[in-house]
Amino acid sequence: MHKKTIFYMSISALAFALLNVFVKKLGYFNVYQIVFFRSIGTLFFTIPFLIKNKISFLGNKKLLLISRGIVGCIAMTLFFMSIKHLSMGTAVSIRYISPIFAAVFALFLLKEKIKHLQWLCFGVAFIGVVILKGFDNQINNIGLVYAIISAVFTGLVYIFIRKIGAKDHPIVIVNYFMIISAIIGGVLCINHWTSPKGLEWLLLLSLGVYGYFGQLYMTKALQTGEINLVAPLKYIEVIFTMLIGAIWLQETYSLLSIFGIFLIITGLVLNVLVKQSKVFSTKKELK
């Protein structure tokens, strides 16, 4: 189960890393228009899938599905706003506070237990993210607020998906999210619409492609593992973002950046080991 969860989250992280790059490059469009195209592009995948497989659009946990969609839309919009005000590295780094919020929410709302050592692992990984990208010398306070609030709502997204569990198909969950986001983004961008030209249409719609696979595999991961194990795996996205930046944008990284990557991977590996030790100890007690 753990191997499958890690695989799902790795695919999700790569897709979201690609999404981040293109959102940054399309930053001259209104944020609600970007939310609209990101949602519409994904619906091209989700709706045909549900129809082909004769899966109900309404789902089973309707209230939770709607709540997840609204909270997810808010989190996504705020993150896109933060990218407009901050460098991509700074915005992504701040957003990685979300697994910590998710773990806290899970502790109180889902009664999931978290070992003291796991908090240490979260801290190691988070410090690695901060070192990896750092903060801008002249950080924009508005962007900072957007990114932090986005992290809080992203933490809540994990809770809603965990509460839904396996009672609804992952595509149903994603479809709700995208329909709600398309409606909200579409309405709010009417007065700020900028008509795309040529290649811009393809780039805007590609956001939905990356978002679809990122969202699908994140949902699968959250449905197959506990939040305090899965959520920290989102840190892998930073590593993918750096690699893409180095290959496509010729970005270079200092020794501090490499050290940051090391801390992130260390934190992730230690968290998995601590979590597994909990499982093993439980098995021994049962025997």
Side-chain angles (χ1 to χ4, degrees):
M1 186 70 74
H2 288 172
K3 288 182 179 179
K4 185 181 291 186
T5 300
I6 292 170
F7 172 75
Y8 287 154
M9 211 57 171
S10 297
I11 296 296
S12 171
L14 176 59
F16 281 129
L18 292 169
L19 175 63
N20 293 337
V21 173
F22 283 104
V23 167
K24 185 66 175 180
K25 292 178 79 67
L26 294 166
Y28 48 88
F29 283 97
N30 179 269
V31 68
Y32 298 116
Q33 191 170 346
I34 292 178
V35 168
F36 173 75
F37 274 102
R38 183 256 189 265
S39 305
I40 290 296
T42 298
L43 288 174
F44 283 129
F45 289 92
T46 58
I47 292 177
F49 181 92
L50 293 176
I51 294 174
K52 179 182 178 182
N53 292 278
K54 297 180 180 179
I55 300 172
S56 172
F57 279 68
L58 296 178
N60 299 308
K61 298 288 185 176
K62 297 177 183 62
L63 183 59
L64 285 174
L65 288 166
I66 293 171
S67 300
R68 183 265 178 270
I70 294 172
V71 170
C73 180
I74 294 172
M76 177 172 62
T77 303
L78 288 169
F79 176 64
F80 289 171
M81 285 181 174
S82 72
I83 288 182
K84 282 178 172 288
H85 292 277
L86 304 170
S87 68
M88 189 168 67
T90 301
V92 172
S93 296
I94 297 171
R95 190 183 65 175
Y96 279 104
I97 302 172
S98 62
I100 299 176
F101 287 122
V104 173
F105 290 142
L107 181 65
F108 291 102
L109 299 178
L110 304 183
K111 308 304 180 184
E112 291 186 2
K113 295 180 180 180
I114 304 173
K115 282 187 171 184
H116 295 301
L117 281 177
Q118 283 184 274
W119 289 114
L120 177 61
C121 297
F122 291 162
V124 171
F126 179 72
I127 291 172
V129 173
V130 174
I131 293 175
L132 185 64
K133 285 293 187 179
F135 292 90
D136 294 342
N137 293 327
Q138 296 180 329
I139 191 168
N140 183 292
N141 289 329
I142 295 177
L144 178 63
V145 171
Y146 284 152
I148 292 175
I149 299 177
S150 174
V152 175
F153 278 93
T154 301
L156 281 174
V157 167
Y158 295 136
I159 301 300
F160 282 116
I161 293 177
R162 187 65 176 159
K163 288 285 285 183
I164 294 169
K167 294 180 177 65
D168 278 299
H169 194 284
I171 301 297
V172 173
I173 300 174
V174 174
N175 197 58
Y176 260 86
F177 174 30
M178 291 297 97
I179 288 176
I180 291 172
S181 297
I183 293 171
I184 295 175
V187 171
L188 294 178
C189 78
I190 291 175
N191 294 328
H192 308 282
W193 181 268
T194 301
S195 295
K197 298 178 182 177
L199 187 61
E200 290 176 342
W201 284 101
L202 182 61
L203 292 177
L204 283 166
L205 289 173
S206 74
L207 298 177
V209 178
Y210 297 125
Y212 168 74
F213 286 105
Q215 200 65 45
L216 171 63
Y217 283 98
M218 184 187 78
T219 300
K220 281 179 173 287
L222 289 167
Q223 288 183 322
T224 57
E226 288 187 19
I227 290 175
N228 49 31
L229 170 64
V230 176
L233 292 175
K234 283 289 291 176
Y235 287 122
I236 300 172
E237 183 182 333
V238 176
I239 299 175
F240 288 144
T241 301
M242 287 187 66
L243 292 174
I244 294 170
I247 296 171
W248 287 1
L249 306 177
Q250 288 76 51
E251 292 180 347
T252 56
Y253 302 100
S254 64
L255 288 175
L256 272 179
S257 295
I258 296 173
F259 180 60
I261 293 175
F262 172 76
L263 286 179
I264 291 171
I265 295 175
T266 299
L268 293 175
V269 171
L270 287 176
N271 178 64
V272 172
L273 291 175
V274 169
K275 190 67 181 177
Q276 286 180 337
S277 68
K278 177 180 176 181
V279 173
F280 293 151
S281 62
T282 303
K283 289 181 178 179
K284 288 179 180 178
E285 290 175 3
L286 290 175
K287 289 180 180 180

